[in-house]
Amino acid sequence: MNKVTLVAKIAEKSGLSKKQAELALGAFIDSVTEALKEGDKVQLMGFGTFEVKERAARTGRNPSTGETIEIPASKTPSFKAGKGLRDEF
């Protein structure tokens, strides 16, 4: 499912127009992104949790040359499915 079909599905299920559904989805994405940038965790009970995880610096290997390289520490967004979502599968 891509963004266009998701917007159409949201519009269908909520009774909103496609334009309103697109604005609502955009607002949701922007709000989650801003919260994660501020270091907050976003928990949607029954659905899941969005949070930023820190990855430690580590040593890696270039697969084509075999050369050892240092991979710097980084932060990455992650999603952990909640019990309600996991139970659907």
Side-chain angles (χ1 to χ4, degrees):
M1 180 180 286
N2 61 25
K3 186 176 179 181
V4 173
T5 55
L6 179 59
V7 166
K9 196 69 139 172
I10 291 170
E12 176 187 319
K13 289 188 176 265
S14 67
L16 297 172
S17 70
K18 285 186 179 181
K19 186 65 176 172
Q20 290 171 322
E22 185 175 5
L23 290 173
L25 180 60
F28 172 76
I29 292 170
D30 290 345
S31 298
V32 170
T33 302
E34 287 173 16
L36 293 177
K37 282 183 179 178
E38 293 171 2
D40 293 336
K41 186 187 317 188
V42 179
Q43 292 180 313
L44 303 172
M45 296 304 289
F47 183 70
T49 304
F50 296 91
E51 63 184 326
V52 175
K53 293 194 175 185
E54 294 188 24
R55 301 174 105 183
R58 60 196 188 279
T59 303
R61 193 172 294 278
N62 182 334
S64 61
T65 64
E67 176 185 358
T68 302
I69 57 172
E70 274 302 309
I71 302 170
S74 64
K75 293 181 181 181
T76 185
S78 69
F79 175 77
K80 181 179 179 184
K83 184 174 179 356
L85 183 59
R86 284 193 313 265
D87 289 347
E88 289 294 317
F89 298 94

